[in-house]
Amino acid sequence: MGHTDTGLHQLDRSLVWAGFKSLTPISLFVTIFGVAFGLAAKQSGMSDSLVISMSALIFSGYAQFALLDLWGAQVPLVAMLVAAVAINARHLLMGATLYPWLRHLPPLKRYGVMMVASDANWAMSMQAFSRGQPGLGLLLGGGLAIWLFWVLGTWLGIHFGNALSDPKTLGLDMVMGCFLLAMVLGGDRNPRMCLIWSVAAIASLLAYRYLPENSHVIVGTLAGGLAGAVKGEQHHEH
């Protein structure tokens, strides 16, 4: 029996709460970037309610910071839409990798879970699935934790952000990257996965060096997805 048919798609309150607690430590660092975003958005001239709404509804730190650069007296909606789509293109790959388990949920519940998908809770849920454990609780519960602390950080940044204007000077911008790298190293380590990650990383680095800004996200996603399709799906037995 394949690992997608053994109940790994379970999703109940206890799993969601466990996921919330598991992602709370990394969410504390998310709060700091929420503070930086709240301050930057406030300084760009946005109203408090708009800034909070932006964090609550968009829930994408990279995209929100990019959109701030485009914010002004004349708002270029098309450019903002293109930038947001480009930066969040990796969610297409996330959804595809989670589909074997998400497909068991009703559509409303399935898309509701994906509303809070981010790098950290996606990585931890995939790692749980690779160990033969339910991962959707980590995805939803962990996503809710990250969302809550992101919105809280934004509120703090609006009202008290002057105390921490640039978290990059403290090296805090590396926290999420290091966390994701640890998740990758802790996952499946076989020649197939090594090849897929290598292709995605090399393609992304080349695009970062030679192509327009933010295109490396799309290029890396497509290259990794193509490498995975060529190598074929590896089925595990549990």
Side-chain angles (χ1 to χ4, degrees):
M1 183 178 290
H3 65 295
T4 60
D5 298 322
T6 54
L8 301 188
H9 56 278
Q10 295 177 54
L11 183 63
D12 54 37
R13 290 184 180 181
S14 62
L15 290 173
V16 173
W17 177 236
F20 186 96
K21 291 188 290 184
S22 295
L23 269 293
T24 294
I26 193 70
S27 298
L28 297 176
F29 291 100
V30 174
T31 305
I32 298 172
F33 280 94
V35 171
F37 173 75
L39 174 62
K42 181 76 173 180
Q43 292 175 339
S44 72
M46 290 183 177
S47 66
D48 294 359
S49 59
L50 180 59
V51 177
I52 292 294
S53 299
M54 193 175 180
S55 283
L57 298 176
I58 298 179
F59 183 42
S60 174
Y62 297 124
Q64 289 177 229
F65 273 108
L67 295 182
L68 282 185
D69 292 334
L70 300 173
W71 186 264
Q74 299 294 328
V75 180
L77 290 178
V78 174
M80 295 176 79
L81 180 61
V82 171
V85 170
I87 293 172
N88 289 308
R90 68 191 187 284
H91 285 261
L92 296 174
L93 182 60
M94 290 182 187
T97 58
L98 290 166
Y99 183 73
W101 301 280
L102 287 173
R103 67 186 176 89
H104 295 280
L105 303 179
L108 186 61
K109 199 172 185 179
R110 183 189 311 164
Y111 292 112
V113 170
M114 286 303 295
M115 288 289 291
V116 293
S118 67
D119 298 323
N121 55 334
W122 168 79
M124 288 197 69
S125 63
M126 291 302 296
Q127 195 176 61
F129 287 133
S130 71
R131 295 193 301 264
Q133 300 172 349
L136 294 183
L138 282 167
L139 186 66
L140 178 57
L144 289 173
I146 296 171
W147 177 86
L148 179 63
F149 281 93
W150 171 249
V151 175
L152 173 63
T154 300
W155 182 85
L156 291 172
I158 293 172
H159 298 283
F160 310 103
N162 289 324
L164 184 65
S165 59
D166 187 5
K168 290 184 178 181
T169 60
L170 303 176
L172 296 176
D173 56 317
M174 296 299 296
V175 171
M176 189 59 72
C178 292
F179 174 79
L180 290 173
L181 181 60
M183 291 295 101
V184 170
L185 294 177
D188 285 346
R189 283 177 285 184
N190 53 60
R192 175 178 176 273
M193 291 304 299
C194 183
L195 175 65
I196 293 172
W197 281 112
S198 297
V199 169
I202 293 172
S204 183
L205 287 172
L206 291 174
Y208 183 82
R209 177 66 178 83
Y210 296 108
L211 297 181
E213 187 176 4
N214 292 324
S215 62
H216 63 287
V217 178
I218 297 177
V219 173
T221 299
L222 294 178
L226 181 61
V230 170
K231 291 297 292 181
E233 184 178 1
Q234 186 179 55
H235 296 278
H236 302 277
E237 298 293 336
H238 296 286

